[in-house]
Amino acid sequence: MYDVEQCDVPAERRSALRHFRGRWRLWLSWLHTDEVHPIWPTLHTMVWTDVAFRTLTAFMSNEENALNNPLIEEALVKGHLATQVFAIRRLVEDSFKDRISRRTLLKGLSASKGPRAGHSPE
């Protein structure tokens, strides 16, 4: 929100603040607007898929329901498991490659000794 020159930061630390703000914008893009794998939409999809899965499996206990079919049950369970595992793997991946993941984001924040909780560097 404020220009670096207007911040209460010693002159010798202003370049570090500019660098951190650039990294902060990058991390926010990873969370929200990355073209391939934004983190928040992945988490949202995981939660919504889990809600849908649990809703459908609740109806499987009724023997007269069409969902109480072994083929449908197997496909539903295996499909849910696979999508959740892939999403979790993508979010916690820890590799030397430059991949966007929740773990990479948290490592970047820790390494930069980011802003205090609840404070934005903008």
Side-chain angles (χ1 to χ4, degrees):
M1 182 159 94
Y2 297 101
D3 186 63
V4 172
E5 305 305 321
Q6 295 175 318
C7 293
D8 186 20
V9 175
E12 64 272 5
R13 299 293 300 154
R14 289 184 180 159
S15 66
L17 178 58
R18 280 188 199 90
H19 175 73
F20 180 77
R21 282 185 174 183
R23 299 294 297 171
W24 183 259
R25 282 188 285 279
L26 174 67
W27 295 327
L28 287 177
S29 76
W30 288 359
L31 282 171
H32 302 287
T33 60
D34 180 69
E35 292 179 19
V36 181
H37 297 296
I39 294 171
W40 281 126
T42 299
L43 290 170
H44 177 267
T45 300
M46 286 178 65
V47 171
W48 179 249
T49 301
D50 194 56
V51 168
F53 171 77
R54 292 175 189 274
T55 302
L56 289 173
T57 56
F59 290 105
M60 288 182 176
S61 61
N62 181 352
E63 292 187 17
E64 295 180 18
N65 193 320
L67 290 174
N68 191 10
N69 177 313
L71 293 174
I72 292 175
E73 184 177 341
E74 182 179 347
L76 184 63
V77 170
K78 286 185 177 179
H80 175 69
L81 180 64
T83 57
Q84 294 295 78
V85 167
F86 286 136
I88 291 167
R89 179 175 176 240
R90 185 173 57 237
L91 289 171
V92 299
E93 184 171 27
D94 188 21
S95 69
F96 295 109
K97 298 175 183 167
D98 190 23
R99 293 205 178 127
I100 296 173
S101 69
R102 185 182 150 275
R103 184 173 293 198
T104 305
L105 174 69
L106 293 176
K107 279 184 174 181
L109 284 169
S110 295
S112 70
K113 304 207 184 344
R116 296 183 314 272
H119 293 85
S120 169
E122 295 295 326

